[in-house]
Amino acid sequence: MTSHQHPPEKMVFQLTLRRRGISDQAVLRTMEEVPRELFVEDADRDGAYRDSALPIACGQTISQPFVVAYMTEQLQLKKQHRVLEIGTGSGYQAAVLSRLAGQVLTVERYRKLADTARARLEKLDCHNVEVMLGDGLNLPPNIGPFDRIIVTAALEQIPDNLIERLEVGGILIAPVGPHQGVQTLTRLTRTETGIERKELVEVRFVPALPGVAREL
């Protein structure tokens, strides 16, 4: 089923994002252009544009549209930016990032999710996205630095080795808090003199786990 077969749902989808405070026109346009139904499980396609998280393979989720749009808006992306995403999942967030940034490296610990996301992104001609199977909490030193970093799984605290990968002027956004329960979406900005921290909204994400999954 293609996106043009969802006009009422997509209209509500856009209205919901605007009503909830998403105002960046580039983000709104990108959310409309990226076909969310291609990133959900077949059984959930009819509900792809509802403002709710949905289950995907490997016990993970695709975040609700508002959270994707909000996190993207908070990154203040420009076309020259190099972006790191920790937690590829379905690939939906990476597809959104690809329309707004120059390069995207997205890291996934489950091989099944990485392979499926890679195929979806290639189908959509997201040629500026690289999907890497790996441990997003223990990355090799030679892949940084980045202008923007987005973490799409819950961290009990933001690791120093992620913060150190930020360029001056760079922004990192991540859900921070207990793995079970509510986290706070937190934005870090690297300045010439240090790190500025701002707590944004409450969210719920699956936990960020170390290592590459042995199966799946």
Side-chain angles (χ1 to χ4, degrees), residues 56-68:
I56 59 172
C58 306
Q60 304 302 294
T61 59
I62 177 173
S63 296
Q64 71 187 90
F66 169 72
V67 171
V68 173

Side-chain angles (χ1 to χ4, degrees), residues 59-123:
Q60 304 302 294
T61 59
I62 177 173
S63 296
Q64 71 187 90
F66 169 72
V67 171
V68 173
Y70 184 81
M71 292 179 77
T72 303
E73 187 173 63
Q74 290 295 321
L75 286 174
Q76 302 168 26
L77 291 165
K78 293 184 168 55
K79 279 294 186 183
Q80 70 269 27
H81 285 158
R82 184 166 186 248
V83 182
L84 171 65
E85 179 190 28
I86 305 298
T88 310
S90 70
Y92 180 64
Q93 177 73 75
V96 170
L97 296 171
S98 77
R99 302 286 182 106
L100 297 165
Q103 287 182 295
V104 179
L105 173 64
T106 180
V107 183
E108 175 54 57
R109 67 189 299 268
Y110 291 100
R111 183 179 296 278
K112 180 177 181 178
L113 292 179
D115 290 347
T116 305
R118 189 180 295 111
R120 286 169 173 155
L121 292 162
E122 287 174 0
K123 184 178 179 181

